[in-house]
Amino acid sequence: MSAIRLSPAAAILRHGVLVLTSAFILVPFVWMVSLSLKSPGEIFRATFSVLPAQFYGVDNYAKAITSVPLPRYMGNGLLVCALILAAQILVCAPAAYALAKLKFWGRDFIFAMVLVGLLLPHQVLSLPLFILCYKLDILNTYLALVIPYVVSPFGIFLFRQFFKKIPNDIVHAARLDGLCELAIVWKIMVPMALPAVIAFSIFSVVAHWNDLFWPLIAVRDGNLMPAPLGIMAFKNEEAGNDYGPLMAASTLVVAPLLIAFLAAQKWFVEGMTGGSVK
Amino acid sequence: MSGITIRNIRKSFGATRVLHDVSLSIADGEFLTLLGPSGCGKSTLLRILAGLEVQDTGSIEIGGRVVDGVRPKRRDVAMVFQSYALYPHMSVAANIALPLRMRRLSRAQRLPLIGRWLPGSGPVISGIEMEVSRTAEALGIAHLLNRKPGQLSGGQRQRVAVGRAMVRHPAVFLMDEPLSNLDAKLRVQMRTEIKDLHRRLGVTFVYVTHDQAEAMTLSDRVVVMRDGEMLQVAPPQEIYADPNDIRVAEFLGSPKINMVDATMREPGLVDLAGSALSVACEIAPGSKFTVGIRPEAFQFAEHSGPGVITGSVRMVEHMGSDLFVYFDPSGLEQPLIARLSAERTHIVAGQTLHVSVRSDQLLVFDRDGRRVRARDVSSAHSSTPAREWAR
């Protein structure tokens, strides 16, 4: 971003630090991919090499896909993530608009409650949520995986901060142009806050694709399990020491996120910088 | 018919009173300007007219219909904002078309992609497109219709904002400092275009500004506002030449009007800046008051004499046709400014200057800042349009 050119020494130092930290983060992933390509014997060998001595990838990946219904798990994850994200945006945008642009009695109190909600870890609520789902009789359904996440304090907070930056005159102009309040939310505010919507979507999808804790509580039916839970079922089934197929399954689960993120990255950065008006 | 009647409007934000009992009638087709410094309540009054703010008490009539509690979109008013308030994610064409789409298309017909193919929407949409392009042509922005607002210059955005307001033919145009984000040259150009627009459309304009030049050049009548009150409502020339209040006199005119404290020596004669000037006001001898003298009211005099003010010249500003002369008469702490013709006089700093001033050009204000009119003048002006309108 900055146009300042660094001296060679500083550039080397900076890149060295960057390479080191990214290596630190990437090593587990590289290891995972590497293990997913190795034979069971090679995995427990004392020496370590990134590339397998004997390519065992086909067997591992075949086993990962066939011995447990991994595609089904990933399909479940996709469905749940999509439902959660859609519901969250549907709820958060109007709520955030009300908190950012409308004046009503108790608004600041409600916003304070949103902030409290932001501070609470979701796990704290798991017991009440479990009881709620039981009373609603939705345990062991897709609904049980979606309902607890429909209201996202983080989403409300993020959207509210973004909406607050949109000038009031735009809202006024929209009202004069004949838009009702909901139309203002969907036609004006959300499109203008697209960077926030994208950022929130990434956070939301990553969090719920990877979520293990709540699905573990909410569903028992193998047909409903999302991917991380599916991997666990797979591991139990294999008595825990068949690491090759396990790592292959993990790689398959992480891959969609990685691909989606890389594909969206350019657009994401553009959305963050290019959308600015005035 | 779209005159506006404003009756006893009050508005407070929390403990701050923004408007104190404002009443005003605006004629159909009139160009009325609300003029005042920032924070005087002029924008709030405009927003109350538009229905974007709700008054605490009082009532608004537009075109003979009481609109209190009526939503902004049902008031038949359009507004141009200082920040233009264009929708940055929509093209210029979509920006201008939006008010028409919201009014003429049903909810289903406005749906993206499929709305266009629903029964009945085709002709309406092409009608809207035609009106948008006609409006754009009238404003000279037809070539910009496919751009986004972010790609336009300030003046072009201004035109788009005007286009979005005029496309639906509102009965009343509200403008909130529409030119203040433009550079000086463009501002003058847009000023004439707005004047032209008003002439062409013939509808009521209510225009908010803090720029006296805009107020003077555009308006049929000017409302000078200060601290939530209307100080004076009158045509521009009257506001300038015959102000009701010291704050009106000080707000208008550049360079600023000279304000001099004076004492009445005897009836009809005041002590002012070391000389005795005659005024035609009934003020008790010995009482103190303030006299306002417009810079151009001074006339160059060759010699000192009765009714002539004398002082040494501090500074001279050449303005081309005119000179702004700052001079210090004896007994005054502040210099006075005189605007003298540059042709007839040659004045340099340090010299002694004599100026005379006609008694009918002395504006006398009492200690509360209210105008004290001369006897003969006060009777002639007792029924000024200002009072008639400010019912």
Side-chain angles (χ1 to χ4, degrees):
Chain A
M1 296 283 160
S2 73
I4 306 163
R5 289 198 70 86
L6 294 166
S7 70
I12 289 168
L13 187 74
R14 177 184 277 197
H15 283 89
V17 170
L18 289 175
V19 165
L20 215 67
T21 42
S22 48
F24 201 69
I25 292 161
L26 281 175
V27 159
F29 288 95
V30 174
W31 204 331
M32 175 182 77
V33 175
S34 161
L35 288 182
S36 76
L37 303 174
K38 289 176 179 173
S39 69
E42 200 184 343
I43 287 171
F44 292 104
R45 211 171 281 166
T47 57
F48 176 76
S49 68
V50 173
L51 292 174
Q54 177 196 359
F55 188 75
Y56 211 72
V58 177
D59 302 65
N60 281 341
Y61 279 88
K63 205 168 177 188
I65 293 169
T66 53
S67 71
V68 291
L70 196 60
R72 166 96 207 187
Y73 294 153
M74 289 171 72
N76 288 339
L78 195 68
L79 179 72
V80 168
C81 282
L83 284 176
I84 288 176
L85 181 61
Q88 279 179 334
I89 292 176
L90 222 56
V91 171
C92 291
Y97 171 72
L99 289 174
K101 293 291 179 197
L102 303 181
K103 287 181 202 143
F104 55 91
W105 191 84
R107 180 182 71 172
D108 294 342
F109 176 76
I110 292 174
F111 184 59
M113 289 297 104
V114 170
L115 292 180
V116 169
L118 201 59
L119 295 175
L120 285 180
H122 210 267
Q123 284 77 354
V124 170
L125 301 173
S126 54
L127 195 58
L129 281 173
F130 181 81
I131 296 169
L132 183 73
C133 288
Y134 171 75
K135 297 270 187 206
L136 292 173
D137 200 23
I138 56 170
L139 278 175
N140 215 12
T141 63
Y142 284 125
L143 269 185
L145 293 174
V146 174
I147 294 278
Y149 295 107
V150 163
V151 180
S152 162
F154 173 65
I156 295 174
F157 176 74
L158 187 76
F159 287 7
R160 185 249 186 200
Q161 298 308 94
F162 226 91
F163 289 172
K164 240 189 146 49
K165 276 191 267 171
I166 295 175
N168 284 334
D169 277 354
I170 296 228
V171 178
H172 289 158
R175 281 189 196 142
L176 279 164
D177 282 346
L179 276 74
C180 66
E181 299 299 305
L182 274 177
I184 293 174
V185 173
W186 299 116
K187 288 202 164 127
I188 310 293
M189 303 303 267
V190 169
M192 281 183 75
L194 205 59
V197 174
I198 293 171
F200 175 72
S201 304
I202 289 174
F203 281 120
S204 167
V205 168
V206 168
H208 298 114
W209 180 263
N210 291 334
D211 191 20
L212 174 67
F213 181 79
W214 178 249
L216 193 60
I217 297 170
V219 294
R220 306 187 68 82
D221 187 345
N223 282 330
L224 302 176
M225 288 180 175
L229 194 54
I231 293 176
M232 246 188 54
F234 169 82
K235 188 189 164 209
N236 291 340
E237 199 177 289
E238 295 298 314
N241 56 3
D242 200 358
Y243 279 102
L246 180 62
M247 288 299 126
S250 303
T251 307
L252 287 175
V253 168
V254 173
L257 283 187
L258 220 60
I259 291 165
F261 200 89
L262 288 177
Q265 190 189 28
K266 184 171 167 253
W267 193 52
F268 181 58
V269 173
E270 257 175 24
M272 277 301 205
T273 54
S276 48
V277 205
K278 225 181 168 184
Chain B
M1 291 312 288
S2 53
I4 301 173
T5 311
I6 300 168
R7 284 201 191 89
N8 306 100
I9 293 290
R10 290 167 203 261
K11 176 74 182 173
S12 304
F13 290 120
T16 338
R17 286 173 67 189
V18 185
L19 293 171
H20 312 257
D21 202 17
V22 171
S23 296
L24 182 69
S25 277
I26 305 167
D28 183 28
E30 186 174 7
F31 197 120
L32 182 107
T33 301
L34 304 175
L35 175 69
S38 56
C40 70
K42 57 194 192 303
S43 283
T44 307
L45 184 57
L46 198 73
R47 267 146 224 271
I48 289 173
L49 284 179
L52 298 170
E53 298 275 0
V54 181
Q55 66 270 30
D56 296 338
T57 62
S59 122
I60 306 270
E61 251 176 55
I62 296 176
R65 181 173 67 114
V66 176
V67 293
D68 306 324
V70 176
R71 289 180 160 276
K73 62 172 166 178
R74 305 234 175 277
R75 291 194 177 196
D76 204 10
V77 300
M79 188 156 166
V80 177
F81 294 86
Q82 180 180 2
S83 60
Y84 316 134
L86 301 175
Y87 311 120
H89 57 289
M90 296 183 190
S91 69
V92 168
N95 263 283
I96 298 176
L98 190 66
L100 295 182
R101 288 177 60 85
M102 296 311 293
R103 278 169 179 75
R104 296 190 190 160
L105 293 171
S106 70
R107 193 173 283 269
Q109 285 172 329
R110 288 198 303 265
L111 287 174
L113 300 174
I114 47 170
R116 177 170 273 270
W117 308 109
L118 288 179
S121 60
V124 181
I125 287 178
S126 53
I128 290 174
E129 278 166 3
M130 216 159 71
E131 277 182 60
V132 168
S133 62
R134 204 183 304 143
T135 304
E137 220 132 284
L139 292 166
I141 50 172
H143 58 295
L144 304 172
L145 281 176
N146 293 320
R147 303 233 192 124
K148 294 273 172 72
Q151 298 165 290
L152 306 181
S153 69
Q156 290 169 332
R157 283 183 214 185
Q158 173 65 57
R159 276 168 226 247
V160 177
V162 170
R164 186 177 63 180
M166 66 185 261
V167 72
R168 61 187 159 96
H169 305 294
V172 176
F173 249 82
L174 306 175
M175 297 194 156
D176 190 1
E177 310 215 11
L179 305 184
S180 59
N181 281 348
L182 301 177
D183 61 60
K185 197 177 162 198
L186 201 54
R187 207 178 301 164
V188 174
Q189 186 194 335
M190 288 305 289
R191 207 161 72 192
T192 47
E193 284 186 26
I194 287 178
K195 185 82 193 160
D196 197 44
L197 188 72
H198 175 242
R199 203 168 32 237
R200 268 197 335 241
L201 300 177
V203 301
T204 313
F205 272 52
V206 182
Y207 187 99
V208 162
T209 185
H210 62 261
D211 183 320
Q212 45 165 310
E214 284 172 27
M216 301 301 266
T217 50
L218 288 170
S219 325
D220 295 325
R221 279 189 307 151
V222 178
V223 180
V224 182
M225 291 187 69
R226 195 68 181 265
D227 304 325
E229 281 177 279
M230 298 194 302
L231 297 178
Q232 191 166 3
V233 186
Q237 61 279 16
E238 190 181 321
I239 288 266
Y240 184 79
D242 192 16
N244 272 343
D245 192 289
I246 199 163
R247 291 170 290 179
V248 176
E250 282 184 321
F251 193 74
L252 288 155
S254 173
K256 210 171 143 186
I257 189 169
N258 298 292
M259 285 294 172
V260 186
D261 289 330
T263 315
M264 190 62 95
R265 185 194 289 179
E266 55 190 73
L269 209 60
V270 289
D271 275 329
L272 190 145
S275 60
L277 299 178
S278 62
V279 290
C281 290
E282 286 184 69
I283 293 179
S287 61
K288 292 185 185 303
F289 53 93
T290 305
V291 174
I293 310 166
R294 293 275 178 209
E296 65 272 18
F298 288 115
Q299 245 133 35
F300 184 75
E302 294 291 343
H303 314 287
S304 73
V308 170
I309 299 172
T310 302
S312 69
V313 175
R314 183 188 282 200
M315 189 172 79
V316 180
E317 287 177 345
H318 287 271
M319 304 303 289
S321 62
D322 292 320
L323 296 177
F324 293 168
V325 183
Y326 296 71
F327 64 104
D328 295 294
S330 57
L332 280 190
E333 287 164 16
Q334 295 285 323
L336 297 179
I337 307 171
R339 179 178 191 155
L340 302 172
S341 167
E343 300 167 2
R344 283 182 39 207
T345 44
H346 179 71
I347 297 167
V348 291
Q351 77 169 78
T352 304
L353 177 74
H354 306 291
V355 287
S356 64
V357 55
R358 289 210 335 256
S359 71
D360 61 343
Q361 290 189 317
L362 296 178
L363 306 172
V364 179
F365 300 94
D366 67 15
R367 303 300 300 273
D368 298 326
R370 269 189 296 274
R371 177 79 184 280
V372 181
R373 288 177 202 280
R375 270 156 302 178
D376 52 339
V377 180
S378 76
S379 60
H381 279 259
S382 64
S383 63
T384 54
R387 289 198 203 147
E388 238 168 67
W389 284 107
R391 280 176 288 199

